Amino acid sequence: MTDRIAQIWGTRTPYAQGARWPARVDQALAEGVGEDDVDAWVQSACLLCSNGCACDIAVKDGAMVGIRGRADDTVNHGRLGPKGLFASWQGMSNKDRLTTPLIRENGVLVETSWDTAMGRIVERSRQLLEETGPLSHGFHTSGQLFLEEYYALGVIGKAGLGTPHMDGNTRLCTATAAAALKESFGSDGQPGTYEDIDDCDAMFLFGHNMAETQTVLWSRVLDRIEGPDRPLLVCVDPRETEVARHADVHLAIRPGTNLALMHGLVREVLEHGWIDDSFIAEHTIRLEDVRAAVEPWTPEAVAETCGVPAADVRRAAEIFGTADRVLSTVLQGFYQSWQATAASCAVNNLHLLRGLIGKPGCGVLQMNGQPTAQNTRECGADGDLPGFRNWENPEHIRQLAELWGVDELKIPHWAPPTHAMQVFRYAEQGSIRLLWVSGTNPAVSMPELPRIRKILADTFLVVQDLYLTETAALADVVLPAAGWGEKTGTFTNINRTVHLSRQAVEPPGQARSDLDIFLDYARRMDFRRNDGSPLLDWSGPEDAYAAWQECTRGRLCDYTGISWTKLEGNGVQWPCNDKAPEGTERLYTDAVFPTDLDRCETYGHDLLTGATVGPTPYKAMAPQGRAIFKTAPYSPPPEEPSEDFPLRFTTGRTAYHFHTRTKTGRSRPLNDAAPGAWVEVSPADARAHGISEGDLVDVTSARGRIQVPVRVSDIAEGTVFAPFHYGYWDQPDGAEPRAANELTLTEWDPVSKQPIYKNAAVRIGRVAASTGPSPAPTTTASRPARGTGAGIEPTTGGPAGQASETVLEPEES
Amino acid sequence: MKLPVYLALIERSEETLAASYRVVSEGHAAEPDVHFLLQTLASQCDKHRRILAPVLERHQLSDESDVPESLHHEGLSSTRSGPLGLLRDLQDLYLAASLVDITWTMLLQAGQGLADRDLIEAVQQCDGETSTQLGWLRTRMKQAAPQALIAAG
Ligand code: SF4
C-alpha cells in the first residue's frame, strides 16, 4: 500500500525514450472492503480532470465502494491520481446529495415533485418565448456532463428554442485551447497525443502546472525524467511548481507578460535560423506577420518586461530550436491570462517554424481544464456549432438544419454564439430572463463574485446539480441530477480519446440524469421538426450518441467508426471512420490542415481586437490546407501594480481539489490534505510586510477582499497566489470572504473570450498573528519556501489515503 | 498643393477619434471588453499621430481655414445609456473611424503620386490598424444588435 496523499504521483516506473510506458494498476477500496467483497467492476473513466483516466468502479450491495485503473488503456496505463482514487466515488455517495426537485416558494426552497418543478420551468419558458422570443433564454453548462447530454442541450438551444445564448463554464477553462487551434490550424482538434511524451527529446510546459492539474500525465513525464534518456524540460510559470523543480530552464515570468516571452522565443528561433524553410513554404502562410510582431523582442527586452534573465530566454529558445523532437503543452497560465489566444497561438507558431507537428514526439497539446470540456466544444453546448462547424459558413448551417429537420433561419448564426461573460451581462441588464445552469457553480467560479451573485439572485434561475451548491442556493428551481457512475454515456479527454462510462449504481432518491432532464424539457415544450415529428425523439443515451455520430460524419471529429461496442474495454481516439477504423493517434501527419474555405471552423480573428476576418478576406488569403501564422503585438495587461495595489495577484489549482470542491471537498483524505484556503507570498514580500507563516491577512483588490492565512512559499517576488477552489458551502454563515474570485477582474481575451483570472493587482495586510501553519499542502507548489519548513507537518493521507499499486511486467513482444 | 489640407485633416480626425474612443470607453465601462479595447484603440490613434508628425513637418498647412469644415467629424463628447445606447455610440465611432480610414486611402494615393516614400510608409504603418478598428466595431455591433433591438427593455 502507498500513501497516495503524500505520494501524489505514486511509485516511479522509469522507462526509456520510445519504449512503452509500463502499466501499473492503482486501486483504492473503501475501508473494510476487500477485493473478494466486490460484487462487480463497472467500466468508466475518471471525471475529475481533463486527463480522463480509464477505470473500473467497484460496486458492492448497490453502492460504489472503490476504483481501479484500466491497465491497457492508452491514457493512463492503469494509473489513477489522488482525486480519481478517492473523490471519484466518495464524492458521489454523500448524505448531502440532492434527492428531490426544489422550487422557491415565498423566498425559500421547498421540496416538490418533478412534475411541478418542470411545469414551472416550462410555464416561464413559454411565457418568455411569447413575450420576447428565444433571446430571453440563456444557458450556462459545464465541462462535466456527458457527450450525449451536451448534444441534447445544443439541439434544444439551437433548433428547439433558437437562442445563441448558450455557453459552458468551459469558457473559463478551455476556450483558448479551442480558439488557438482554430486560428492556427482552421479547426479545433488536438494535434498531438500522449504517446508524444514517450518519444520527445524536450518538453515545454507553458503555464501548465501539469503535476497538479493532470497528476497521472505528470507521472508519465516523471517516469521519462527518471528513465535512462530524460527529455529536457522548460517550464513557464510564476510559481515554483513541481514542474519548475524538475525543469532545466524555469522562466518565472510576471503574470500577464506571456506574449512578450513568446515573441522573444520566436525571435530567437528565427534569428538563429532554427527553422524548416521547406515546411514553412509548403505548409504555412503569413510568416511575415510574425516576423514583424517579434522584431522588438530581443532577449534583453523580454528580460525587462517579463522579469526573467535574458540568458534563460536564450537557453530556452536554443532547446526549442535544436532538440530533435519537441512536445509542448499549454494550460491556464496562458489561457486565463492577458492576450491568451495570441500567446497560445505563438506556441503553435514555434512548432510550425520547425515543422514539428504530426510526427512522433513532436506534438502540441493545447490542454483542457475540465474532464468533458472537449465534448462541450464538439457538441455545440458552448460558443461553437456542433461538429466544429463554422457559423459564418451557410453550407454548414444548411447541414445542421437538414440533420435537425428545421429551417436554417431557426438556427441562430448571425453572430458567434454568445460567450458566458456576455450571457451574464445580458442577464444583468434584464434581457435574458431565464438562466439555466447545469452542472456548474458560477457563484464561486466566475470572476468578480459580488456581481455574479447579484445577477444569479435577480434572474429566474434553474440549476441542475448533484449538490445544493452556492449557485443552486440562489435558484428558483433546483433539479437533482444523477452523476458519474449513476448513468451511462461517453466523454472525450484531451487527446481525443473517447471512453464509455457505464451506470454502476442507482442515482439517489429521485435524481435523474442530465440527459433525461433535457429530453423531458424538450418533450414538455413540444419542440418539433418541420415534418411535425418530435425534435428529440431519443429514448436514451444510445440514441443520442447515434445522432451525434451522424452529426460528425465527414468532420474532423468523426465519431462514425466509434460504436459503443468498440468502446467496451478501452478508449478510442477520434477521428475514427472507414478510413481510420481503429482511430487516429495524431492529427496532421500529412501536414494538411483543415483551413480550406469549405472546411474550416472559423475564418479567424484579429488577435489584438477580436475583429472577425470574414469570408472574403479569408478567401483572398487562400490558406488551402496550409496552417496560418497568427500573432499580435504585445500590450501590457489592463491592471498592473500601483501604489494602492502593489502586488500582482494570480489564481490557480492544487492537486487535491477539483473546481469548486463539490466532490473533492467531500472526500476525507483529499479534504484533510487541503482543508482550507490560503494565499502564497514570497519570503521577501513576507518580510517587507512583516508577515510570517500562518498569519491571517486581508488580500484586497479594487473589487473585493478575502481573509486567509499565509503560506510563505517560493513564488516569484512581487506576485501572490490564491487557489480558486474554496467557496462558502462548507463555511458558517457570516464567515470572512475567502474565494479567490472575489478579487479578480471582469475582462476577457478578445478572441477566446476566456476571462482573465491570472492578472489582478492587490495589496496585502496582516490581520492577526499565526495560531499555527496555514492549511496549504506541503507536497505541491504550495510547499514552504526553502529553509522555512520547520514546524510544518508534512501533508500525508493516513489510513484513508492508502491505495495499492501493482506494476505489470511488460508483455513479451 | 492641397496635400497639407488632407494631412491636417487626418491629424485632426485621429485626435477626435482617440478622444471619442476614450469617451465611449468610460461611458460604457460596465462592458469590460468595450472599455479595455477602446483604450487600446485610442492609443493606436495617438501612435498614428506620432508616426505622421515628421510628414506634417514637411508639408505644413499655410492657412488653417483651408480645412473644409464639412469634412470634419465632431466626435463624441458624451455617451448614451443602455444596450441601445451602446449600439448607437459604437455606430458613431464607426462613422468617425470610416472618415479616418478613407482619408488614409487618399493620402496613400497622394504619396504614390508624389513618390514620397516617407509618406507612403507612414500611411502603411497606420491604415491597417484603422481598418481593423472598423472590423472590430462591426463585429461588436453585429453581436450586440439582435439583443439590443429585440430583447432589451
Ligand atoms: S489524472 Fe485526472 S482523470 Fe486521472 S485520476 Fe487524476 S483526476 Fe482522474
Side-chain angles (χ1 to χ4, degrees):
Chain A
M1 287 295 213
T2 309
D3 182 339
R4 290 298 303 279
I5 296 296
Q7 295 192 48
I8 297 172
W9 307 283
T11 312
R12 295 280 54 78
T13 50
Y15 69 120
Q17 186 174 39
R20 186 181 158 79
W21 186 31
R24 182 191 85 197
V25 175
D26 297 351
Q27 175 176 308
L29 289 172
E31 266 178 86
V33 175
E35 261 181 59
D36 295 344
D37 302 325
V38 174
D39 299 333
W41 291 96
V42 180
Q43 134 169 24
S44 181
C46 174
L47 199 64
L48 284 168
C49 83
S50 60
N51 212 49
C53 296
C55 63
D56 292 316
I57 305 169
V59 181
K60 178 177 156 49
D61 302 332
M64 295 193 257
V65 293
I67 191 168
R68 73 175 176 212
R70 293 183 68 92
D72 298 330
D73 196 271
T74 165
V75 170
N76 53 322
H77 296 214
R79 285 167 193 72
L80 295 170
K83 283 181 290 186
L85 285 168
F86 305 117
S88 54
W89 50 284
Q90 292 170 0
M92 298 301 296
S93 38
N94 187 285
K95 60 173 180 14
D96 300 341
R97 283 288 298 277
L98 287 166
T99 53
T100 62
L102 309 171
I103 51 171
R104 191 167 293 278
E105 294 287 9
N106 303 319
V108 287
L109 286 171
V110 296
E111 294 192 354
T112 189
S113 66
W114 273 103
D115 207 43
T116 311
M118 293 306 290
R120 186 164 290 193
I121 300 170
V122 167
E123 183 195 304
R124 177 73 174 190
S125 204
R126 283 184 187 280
Q127 179 207 344
L128 287 174
L129 286 182
E130 209 148 286
E131 278 174 19
T132 329
L135 297 180
S136 54
H137 285 55
F139 293 83
H140 186 63
T141 188
S142 166
Q144 298 166 52
L145 309 188
F146 288 1
L147 180 159
E148 295 78 4
E149 298 170 328
Y150 295 130
Y151 189 47
L153 184 60
V155 177
I156 286 173
K158 289 165 181 63
L161 291 163
T163 176
H165 306 323
M166 178 180 292
D167 200 359
N169 62 4
T170 48
R171 182 66 66 183
L172 320 180
C173 77
T174 184
T176 304
L181 293 169
K182 285 190 257 187
E183 295 293 331
S184 299
F185 308 127
S187 173
D188 193 354
Q190 190 68 267
T193 180
Y194 285 175
E195 260 76 51
D196 291 330
I197 295 174
D198 310 344
D199 292 316
C200 68
D201 296 295
M203 256 189 98
F204 278 65
L205 286 90
F206 293 101
H208 182 195
N209 183 5
M210 187 198 280
E212 299 195 54
T213 53
Q214 287 90 8
T215 61
V216 169
L217 196 59
W218 179 245
S219 306
R220 194 168 185 154
V221 177
L222 282 178
D223 285 344
R224 273 295 317 274
I225 288 176
E226 299 229 336
D229 41 18
R230 63 159 285 171
L232 292 166
L233 207 65
V234 177
C235 168
V236 180
D237 199 314
R239 293 169 80 206
E240 178 82 4
T241 59
E242 200 59 26
V243 178
R245 299 201 152 202
H246 285 88
D248 297 273
V249 182
H250 175 203
L251 298 160
I253 62 171
R254 294 190 183 112
T257 64
N258 295 325
L259 186 59
L261 171 72
M262 294 311 297
H263 281 343
L265 295 177
V266 169
R267 188 180 184 279
E268 280 288 292
V269 167
L270 282 168
E271 198 71 348
H272 288 85
W274 290 318
I275 59 174
D276 181 338
D277 289 307
S278 65
F279 183 92
I280 293 172
E282 282 162 43
H283 301 296
T284 69
I285 57 172
R286 300 198 77 105
L287 177 60
E288 62 282 6
D289 296 355
V290 169
R291 281 192 195 279
V294 305
E295 214 274 319
W297 292 99
T298 61
E300 284 67 29
V302 174
E304 166 93 29
T305 298
C306 305
V308 293
D312 288 355
V313 178
R314 288 203 168 84
R315 175 68 187 130
E318 186 189 353
I319 293 174
F320 197 98
T322 57
D324 275 347
R325 283 166 289 189
V326 187
L327 172 63
S328 295
T329 70
V330 194
L331 194 60
Q332 309 308 5
F334 273 40
Y335 297 167
Q336 295 184 339
S337 196
W338 182 236
Q339 298 194 291
T341 305
S344 305
C345 281
V347 177
N348 299 341
N349 292 345
L350 278 172
H351 283 263
L352 290 172
L353 282 173
R354 292 202 54 209
L356 298 180
I357 194 155
K359 295 181 245 181
C362 298
V364 179
L365 293 171
Q366 297 278 359
M367 301 295 294
N368 302 344
Q370 293 180 85
T372 68
Q374 188 60 42
N375 303 115
T376 322
R377 269 146 59 180
E378 293 165 359
C379 298
D382 68 349
D384 296 301
L385 292 182
F388 298 158
R389 285 180 175 81
N390 184 348
W391 63 269
E392 289 186 281
N393 184 333
E395 169 56 20
H396 287 187
I397 302 301
R398 198 200 55 73
Q399 290 167 3
L400 290 175
E402 192 180 303
L403 270 170
W404 298 335
V406 297
D407 197 285
E408 283 156 49
L409 269 179
K410 180 87 190 180
I411 303 170
H413 63 280
W414 55 78
T418 315
H419 61 95
M421 307 297 292
Q422 194 66 47
V423 169
F424 278 83
R425 177 64 179 148
Y426 288 152
E428 185 175 34
Q429 292 177 320
S431 65
I432 285 181
R433 288 150 73 197
L434 184 159
L435 184 61
W436 189 327
V437 176
S438 44
T440 186
N441 191 9
V444 178
S445 58
M446 295 285 275
E448 208 181 330
L449 288 180
R451 170 175 170 260
I452 295 296
R453 279 191 294 261
K454 180 159 183 344
I455 297 172
L456 291 169
D458 292 350
T459 311
F460 182 84
L461 179 68
V462 180
V463 175
Q464 64 194 57
D465 212 318
L466 308 177
Y467 292 100
L468 193 69
T469 59
E470 290 87 337
T471 305
L474 298 168
D476 294 281
V477 181
V478 179
L479 305 173
W484 182 83
E486 299 164 352
K487 61 185 182 185
T488 296
T490 54
F491 51 90
T492 308
N493 84 340
I494 174 71
N495 74 333
R496 294 173 280 102
T497 307
V498 188
H499 284 118
L500 177 61
S501 176
R502 289 220 172 260
Q503 180 172 359
V505 299
E506 288 301 320
Q510 301 175 40
R512 292 182 184 171
S513 77
D514 298 280
L515 180 64
D516 283 346
I517 297 172
F518 293 142
L519 293 180
D520 187 29
Y521 172 71
R523 253 189 315 272
R524 288 171 190 261
M525 290 297 289
D526 200 26
F527 294 134
R528 290 186 180 271
R529 295 168 162 256
N530 282 344
D531 65 7
S533 62
L535 176 65
L536 289 171
D537 54 358
W538 312 334
S539 61
E542 206 153 359
D543 290 349
Y545 184 80
W548 168 244
Q549 283 181 297
E550 266 324 298
C551 183
T552 64
R553 188 176 294 280
R555 302 297 302 161
L556 184 60
C557 57
D558 197 330
Y559 280 68
T560 50
I562 312 178
S563 63
W564 275 21
T565 322
K566 201 175 182 69
L567 289 175
E568 285 303 340
N570 299 311
V572 178
Q573 286 176 289
W574 65 247
C576 177
N577 49 24
D578 295 345
K579 273 185 251 153
E582 294 311 313
T584 306
E585 198 173 42
R586 280 184 194 85
L587 300 182
Y588 313 136
T589 48
D590 53 2
V592 174
F593 302 91
T595 50
D596 247 0
L597 192 68
D598 305 336
R599 202 167 162 70
C600 63
E601 191 182 358
T602 178
Y603 300 131
H605 299 80
D606 172 63
L607 298 193
L608 182 72
T609 62
T612 52
V613 170
T616 313
Y618 187 81
K619 195 171 175 185
M621 252 177 8
Q624 293 165 327
R626 291 173 293 176
I628 307 169
F629 280 107
K630 296 287 293 235
T631 189
Y634 169 76
S635 66
E639 188 166 285
E640 294 220 84
S642 61
E643 214 167 290
D644 277 352
F645 303 108
L647 296 166
R648 287 171 198 267
F649 176 70
T650 187
T651 68
R653 286 143 188 77
T654 180
Y656 300 108
H657 286 302
F658 176 65
H659 216 246
T660 60
R661 293 166 49 254
T662 42
K663 290 181 189 168
T664 50
R666 290 179 169 95
S667 158
R668 216 184 70 220
L670 294 173
N671 197 53
D672 289 352
W678 70 89
V679 61
E680 287 167 35
V681 179
S682 74
D685 291 321
R687 261 194 311 280
H689 286 79
I691 294 169
S692 47
E693 171 70 29
D695 284 359
L696 197 62
V697 295
D698 268 343
V699 188
T700 312
S701 79
R703 290 150 299 273
R705 176 183 71 91
I706 57 174
Q707 194 172 98
V708 290
V710 161
R711 162 59 43 88
V712 179
S713 79
D714 279 322
I715 192 167
E717 192 180 333
T719 299
V720 299
F721 166 93
F724 93 115
H725 308 289
Y726 299 91
Y728 304 102
W729 59 263
D730 51 349
Q731 289 287 91
D733 281 346
E736 289 292 334
R738 65 169 184 171
N741 286 325
E742 306 285 356
L743 308 180
T744 44
L745 81 166
T746 303
E747 168 56 333
W748 50 82
D749 181 71
V751 181
S752 71
K753 313 290 194 284
Q754 187 158 349
I756 297 167
Y757 288 102
K758 303 244 182 218
N759 327 114
V762 297
R763 67 168 169 264
I764 184 165
R766 188 163 177 272
V767 175
S770 152
T771 52
S774 72
T778 64
T779 38
T780 60
S782 61
R783 72 173 67 66
R786 285 187 182 80
T788 67
I792 302 176
E793 281 287 310
T795 303
T796 56
Q802 303 294 315
S804 65
E805 300 178 328
T806 313
V807 178
L808 307 184
E809 291 307 318
E811 282 166 34
E812 299 290 319
S813 56
Chain B
M1 184 166 87
K2 293 295 175 202
L3 176 61
V5 177
Y6 268 75
L7 284 169
L9 182 66
I10 192 117
E11 147 82 10
R12 253 199 233 175
S13 307
E14 285 279 19
E15 190 178 5
T16 312
L17 184 57
S20 303
Y21 282 151
R22 292 195 169 100
V23 167
V24 178
S25 167
E26 291 310 326
H28 293 281
E31 313 295 336
D33 57 336
V34 172
H35 172 71
F36 288 113
L37 196 78
L38 288 182
Q39 297 286 345
T40 308
L41 302 192
S43 39
Q44 285 182 346
C45 298
D46 299 343
K47 182 182 74 187
H48 295 173
R49 291 173 59 215
R50 283 197 302 275
I51 291 173
L52 217 56
V55 184
L56 275 161
E57 276 292 299
R58 283 195 288 116
H59 301 280
Q60 291 208 358
L61 190 63
S62 47
D63 182 359
E64 279 285 332
S65 65
D66 269 0
V67 182
E69 275 310 312
S70 61
L71 285 181
H72 186 65
H73 191 282
E74 287 300 321
L76 280 82
S77 52
S78 64
T79 53
R80 306 167 178 94
S81 64
L84 194 63
L86 172 68
L87 207 57
R88 294 276 309 279
D89 289 337
L90 292 176
Q91 197 167 358
D92 277 347
L93 290 177
Y94 190 85
L95 292 176
S98 303
L99 178 69
V100 173
D101 189 56
I102 193 66
T103 311
W104 286 125
T105 305
M106 289 184 275
L107 286 173
L108 183 63
Q109 296 304 98
Q112 267 152 351
L114 285 170
D116 182 335
R117 195 171 294 279
D118 289 346
L119 176 56
I120 294 172
E121 273 174 15
V123 176
Q124 281 172 341
Q125 279 182 58
C126 303
D127 69 340
E129 282 183 346
T130 305
S131 49
T132 304
Q133 292 178 5
L134 285 170
W136 178 78
L137 288 163
R138 273 181 73 84
T139 303
R140 191 64 178 79
M141 283 188 286
K142 275 176 81 172
Q143 181 209 323
Q147 200 71 9
L149 300 180
I150 301 168

